[in-house]
């Protein structure tokens, strides 16, 4: 159904690191969806080219047309008959749209803040990475431009207009993001995947960088690591779709399917948690003494379910 | 508000019952209020009626500036002021009235997701049509927004608001869209809502929740507001179950007040549903 192409479709995206095919959320979404639906994409990374500042990434080129923005690209792929959502009911299609809106509104501001606005992460992780992956002399401009775009997006959408002060908004966006992660964890439950590939792709694109990046100060990452089923979801996708190229190894959504706990990943996660436990003092006073603790009540449910299912790692 | 302040406020809120003189403030109904504000205000009023909490609607030309967050509507209850549907839902929950207690966790996740969908798509589309479409902005939005003020203040305030909204659209990536794409997004959003509603009376079981209030607020306002063209209303009308949903809520919660709240021959609002 998807052969006989004159030339393969070309995707421009940021390069990969930390076990991920790409470090950029939107690029990951498209890459994941392409793997799920079996589309053959020629992936071209824009690292070390002038496109780091000129192109809006991700970008799909095919037969003269250019499509940007993950939603548009996914629509385009569907029109080209790479549709992985055939068996979705109408209600699930509607639910997909709703959950994607939830991700964009609640989780993305906190992701932007974690990577681009939080001073420690930005100085120690994000800026060096993007600087080292951009050609001279763009490496002076690219990270700064992305950071200011991220900051303005957060302030314009989340900050209430007289204030426009990032510290006021920080507590709010992190608590909303933790709530969003809890909601996703509830929805995923014991299954290995969400319903429908589009939602899987979007959730994967948002949480994979958060799980895998070695963030110096990552309270959101800590929270996410406690939600076992989301971490399993992410690692499963990485293992099945991005380490070996066989798409037919996709597991069924059976709650009792056994799986090997990926020891290497678990060790890395444990190391991350240990590293971050030393940085707990950096957390905001507000967050510690606030009704923030409410989300922890929900947390015990998914991890209790997950721990009953997990075999203990050796 | 910071989180600690919010916790403090909700503790105080829980202490007192809902008073009789609670007031909801919104911009002037006849001349000033715009589509998006009218939708948000109607959503809050519907929510409070669904909870059975009495509230008086008071129209003020400076409602936006009185509001603690800069957004309308806001309610004045006892000695607290709360704005926007989300915080108002939390506030009423602290007082012991909640519509979504019967939902389990997965349903609550879905409800929040759909509320975000409505905010993300419908509200943003309304703002886009009002302020980023030049024709609508010149003919309707700017004159209405600045009607209580005299020149040159009216000029300044209207353009300032337009600039603010356009900046926000730019930040979330909507500035590259044209009007057709926005109408298409509205249509997709309505399709999702229509599919989720199906043949049920409300979105979740037989009881209304804040999602029903929010959807009703937006759809009813879109259907009864006259813009430069009727395309937005037509998109909504093509989903019959959404139309009957709006009728049903109007009949159930607004029937007895219909005659009193019917505005006169105002150019903006057409009154009840066609």
């Amino acid at each position: 159904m998807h052969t006989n192409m004159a030339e393969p479709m070309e995707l421009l995206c940021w390069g990969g690191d930390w076990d991920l095919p790409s470090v950029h959320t939107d690029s990951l979404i498209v890459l994941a969806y392409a793997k799920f639906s079996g589309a053959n994409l020629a992936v071209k990374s824009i690292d070390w080219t002038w496109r780091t500042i000129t192109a809006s990434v991700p970008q799909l080129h095919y037969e003269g047309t250019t499509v940007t923005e993950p939603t548009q690209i996914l629509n385009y792929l569907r029109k080209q008959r790479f549709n992985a959502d055939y068996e979705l009911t109408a209600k699930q299609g509607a639910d997909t749209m709703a959950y994607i809106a939830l991700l964009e509104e609640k989780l993305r501001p906190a992701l932007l803040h974690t990577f681009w606005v939080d001073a420690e992460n930005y100085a120690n992780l994000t800026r060096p990475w993007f600087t080292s992956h951009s050609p001279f002399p763009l490496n002076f401009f690219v990270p700064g431009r992305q950071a200011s775009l991220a900051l303005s997006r957060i302030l314009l959408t989340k900050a209430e207009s007289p204030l426009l002060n990032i510290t006021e908004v920080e507590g709010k966006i992190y608590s909303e993001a933790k709530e969003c992660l809890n909601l996703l964890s509830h929805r995923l439950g014991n299954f290995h995947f969400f319903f429908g590939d589009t939602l899987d792709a979007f959730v994967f694109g948002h949480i994979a960088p958060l799980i895998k990046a070695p963030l110096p100060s990552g309270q959101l990452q800590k929270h996410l690591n406690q939600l076992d089923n989301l971490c399993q979801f992410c690692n499963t996708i990485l293992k099945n779709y991005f380490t070996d190229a066989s798409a037919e190894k996709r597991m069924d959504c059976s709650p009792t399917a056994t799986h090997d706990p990926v020891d290497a990943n678990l060790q890395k996660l444990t190391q991350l948690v240990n590293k971050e436990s030393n940085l707990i003092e950096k957390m905001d006073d507000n967050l510690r003494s606030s009704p923030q603790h409410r989300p922890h009540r929900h947390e015990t449910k998914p991890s209790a379910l997950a721990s009953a299912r997990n075999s203990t790692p050796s | 508000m910071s989180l600690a302040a919010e916790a403090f406020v909700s503790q105080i809120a829980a202490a007192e019952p809902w008073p009789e003189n609670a007031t909801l403030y919104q911009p002037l109904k006849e001349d000033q209020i715009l589509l998006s504000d009218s939708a948000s205000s109607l959503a809050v009023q519907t929510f409070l009626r669904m909870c059975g909490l009495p509230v008086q609607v008071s129209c003020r030309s400076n409602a936006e500036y009185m509001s603690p967050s800069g957004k309308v509507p806001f309610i004045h209850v006892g000695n607290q002021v709360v704005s926007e549907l989300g915080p108002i839902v939390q506030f009423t929950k602290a007082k012991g009235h909640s519509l979504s207690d019967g939902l389990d966790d997965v349903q609550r996740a879905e409800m929040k997701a759909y509320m975000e969908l409505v905010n993300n798509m419908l509200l943003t589309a309304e703002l886009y049509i009002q302020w980023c479409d030049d024709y609508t902005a010149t003919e309707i939005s700017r004159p209405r927004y600045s009607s209580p003020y005299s020149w040159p203040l009216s000029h300044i305030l209207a353009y300032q608001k337009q600039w603010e909204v356009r900046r926000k659209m730019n930040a979330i990536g909507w500035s590259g869209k044209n009007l057709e794409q926005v109408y298409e997004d509205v249509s997709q959003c309505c399709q999702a809502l229509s599919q989720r509603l199906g043949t049920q009376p409300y979105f979740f079981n037989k009881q209304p929740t804040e999602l029903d209030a929010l959807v009703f607020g937006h759809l009813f306002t879109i259907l009864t507001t006259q813009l430069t063209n009727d395309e937005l209303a037509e998109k909504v009308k093509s989903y019959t179950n959404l139309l009957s949903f709006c009728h049903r809520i109007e009949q159930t919660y607004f029937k007895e007040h219909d005659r009193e709240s019917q505005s006169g021959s105002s150019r903006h609002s057409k009154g009840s549903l066609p």
Side-chain angles (χ1 to χ4, degrees):
Chain A
M1 99 173 144
H2 34 264
T3 50
N4 304 328
M5 294 278 174
E7 77 230 22
M9 296 189 272
E10 198 181 72
L11 180 74
L12 291 174
C13 60
W14 279 101
D17 200 355
W18 322 314
D19 288 341
L20 296 172
S22 170
V23 303
H24 184 221
T25 292
D26 289 340
S27 312
L28 269 178
I29 293 173
V30 178
L31 286 170
Y33 187 80
K35 289 278 180 182
F36 295 151
S37 62
N40 211 354
L41 290 184
V43 177
K44 266 172 70 168
S45 127
I46 60 170
D47 297 0
W48 299 293
T49 68
W50 281 81
R51 290 214 184 98
T52 45
I53 207 151
T54 54
S56 98
V57 165
Q59 230 180 66
L60 187 74
H61 291 291
Y62 182 62
E63 286 176 354
T65 49
T66 304
V67 194
T68 56
E69 300 274 314
T71 337
Q72 311 277 6
I73 295 182
L74 260 54
N75 283 339
Y76 185 80
L77 285 174
R78 275 191 216 109
K79 284 200 194 104
Q80 299 288 325
R81 289 175 286 118
F82 291 112
N83 190 348
D85 286 336
Y86 281 129
E87 58 276 0
L88 279 191
T89 66
K91 179 176 171 304
Q92 285 176 326
D95 283 350
T96 305
M97 270 185 78
Y99 276 103
I100 291 177
L102 185 72
L103 279 174
E104 285 291 323
E105 270 293 307
K106 301 270 178 171
L107 191 54
R108 191 177 286 253
L111 281 182
L112 287 176
H113 187 276
T114 307
F115 280 97
W116 293 101
V117 181
D118 179 295
E120 212 177 302
N121 289 337
Y122 180 64
N124 294 334
L125 182 70
T126 323
R127 194 174 60 193
W129 195 92
F130 279 89
T131 310
S132 62
H133 285 248
S134 308
F136 181 82
L138 292 180
N139 52 355
F140 294 114
F141 304 116
V142 166
R145 188 161 153 270
Q146 302 262 26
S148 62
L149 281 176
L151 182 63
S152 73
R153 178 168 171 156
I154 296 175
L155 286 179
L156 286 175
T157 52
K158 289 290 167 186
E160 294 145 3
S161 54
L163 302 173
L164 284 192
N165 186 347
I166 191 68
T167 48
E168 309 261 351
V169 203
E170 264 171 36
K172 178 171 150 198
I173 57 179
Y174 275 110
S175 71
E176 283 187 349
K178 289 179 188 180
E179 195 190 331
C180 174
L181 289 173
N182 291 339
L183 292 176
L184 285 174
S185 183
H186 281 305
R187 187 64 184 80
L188 182 61
N190 278 334
F191 293 94
H192 285 289
F193 297 99
F194 290 91
F195 55 94
D197 285 337
T198 315
L199 187 57
D200 286 341
F202 268 87
V203 175
F204 175 71
H206 281 86
I207 66 177
L210 193 57
I211 291 181
K212 292 290 179 186
L215 294 166
S217 112
Q219 41 156 324
L220 196 60
Q221 190 179 48
K222 265 196 65 153
H223 183 94
L224 180 56
N225 284 336
Q226 292 171 314
L227 299 171
D228 284 337
N229 56 356
L230 288 179
C231 297
Q232 306 282 5
F233 164 78
C234 180
N235 291 327
T236 312
I237 292 186
L238 279 173
K239 189 169 123 188
N240 289 342
Y241 290 92
F242 290 105
T243 49
D244 41 7
S246 50
E248 60 268 14
K249 263 172 74 179
R250 177 173 179 165
M251 290 192 277
D252 286 340
C253 297
S254 66
T256 55
T258 55
H259 59 93
D260 303 319
V262 183
D263 284 340
N265 279 330
L266 263 172
Q267 272 180 17
K268 236 196 245 182
L269 287 172
T270 323
Q271 276 171 17
L272 272 173
V273 169
N274 286 337
K275 215 198 301 183
E276 267 124 31
S277 66
N278 296 332
L279 296 166
I280 291 184
E281 296 89 1
K282 303 257 171 122
M283 277 214 310
D284 224 359
D285 276 342
N286 275 349
L287 292 166
R288 237 180 298 165
S289 60
S290 72
Q292 187 94 338
H293 290 301
R294 236 183 288 134
H296 289 284
R297 252 212 316 263
H298 296 289
E299 260 171 49
T300 53
K301 266 169 69 184
S303 41
L305 289 169
S307 58
R309 176 171 58 98
N310 265 346
S311 51
T312 54
S314 52
Chain B
M1 286 195 285
S2 70
L3 290 169
E6 263 177 38
F8 183 62
V9 162
S10 57
Q11 271 183 341
I12 295 198
E16 305 162 347
W18 191 271
E20 282 300 313
N21 61 349
T23 327
L24 180 141
Y25 290 93
Q26 64 172 35
L28 301 174
K29 195 163 170 187
E30 302 261 335
D31 304 311
Q32 190 190 15
I33 199 168
L34 292 174
L35 177 61
S36 51
D37 296 333
S38 182
S40 310
S41 173
L42 186 59
V44 172
Q45 287 176 48
T46 314
F47 174 73
L48 291 173
R49 283 192 194 216
M50 285 175 175
C51 291
L53 299 169
V55 68
Q56 292 149 17
V57 177
S58 171
C59 296
R60 301 289 174 87
S61 61
N62 59 342
E64 201 179 2
Y65 300 106
M66 285 201 280
S67 160
S69 72
K71 298 206 172 78
V72 289
F74 66 95
I75 57 173
H76 178 209
V77 176
N79 55 0
Q80 276 131 49
V81 181
V82 191
S83 67
E84 294 190 78
L85 185 65
I88 290 178
V89 169
Q90 281 179 345
F91 181 75
T92 52
K93 192 164 175 187
K95 287 220 183 271
H97 305 269
S98 171
L99 291 179
S100 53
D101 276 340
L103 299 180
D104 64 24
D105 286 325
V106 173
Q107 284 178 318
R108 195 167 287 130
E110 268 188 40
M111 183 185 76
K112 291 215 177 319
Y114 275 97
M115 284 176 80
E116 285 310 320
L117 179 68
V118 172
N119 278 333
N120 211 356
M121 287 253 181
L122 278 185
L123 183 62
T124 319
E126 285 165 9
L127 283 173
Y128 182 94
I129 292 172
Q130 278 168 205
W131 292 105
C132 298
D133 174 37
D134 285 323
Y135 186 57
T136 313
T138 319
E139 291 290 315
I140 299 184
S141 312
R142 284 206 299 267
R144 282 185 73 88
Y145 183 76
S146 55
S147 58
Y149 310 108
S150 58
W151 196 88
L153 186 60
S154 57
H155 205 67
I156 298 174
L157 287 179
Y159 273 102
Q160 186 186 50
K161 178 78 176 175
Q162 182 173 310
W163 179 76
E164 245 179 68
V165 174
R166 286 195 181 183
R167 244 179 94 201
K168 182 173 163 180
M169 293 292 138
N170 221 354
I172 56 178
W174 275 59
S175 54
K177 297 198 182 188
N178 60 19
L179 209 51
E180 283 308 312
Q181 286 173 324
V182 172
Y183 286 138
E184 186 53 42
D185 283 342
V186 170
S187 193
Q188 280 187 2
C189 180
C190 290
Q191 189 182 33
L193 290 172
S194 172
Q195 282 167 349
R196 179 65 181 82
L197 182 63
T199 50
Q200 296 171 288
Y202 300 108
F203 277 95
F204 288 98
N205 303 326
K206 309 258 185 319
Q207 295 301 318
T209 55
E210 44 262 32
L211 175 62
D212 300 285
L214 184 65
V215 173
F216 172 73
H218 281 275
L219 294 183
F220 187 82
T221 318
I222 290 178
L223 289 168
T224 56
T225 302
Q226 207 169 2
L227 290 173
T228 51
N229 59 15
D230 278 333
E231 210 171 317
L232 197 57
E234 291 300 319
K235 295 278 175 194
V236 176
K237 275 188 204 159
S238 58
Y239 297 98
T240 47
N241 63 345
L242 292 179
L243 268 184
S244 54
F245 170 78
C246 291
H247 269 297
R248 198 181 315 123
I249 294 200
E250 193 199 0
Q251 292 297 311
T252 319
Y253 293 101
F254 288 90
K255 198 164 105 181
E256 63 276 21
H257 291 265
D258 239 5
R259 275 179 225 113
E260 294 148 45
S261 69
Q262 272 265 5
S263 46
S265 51
S266 73
R267 187 184 76 129
H268 197 62
S269 165
K270 283 193 227 150
S272 59
L273 280 175

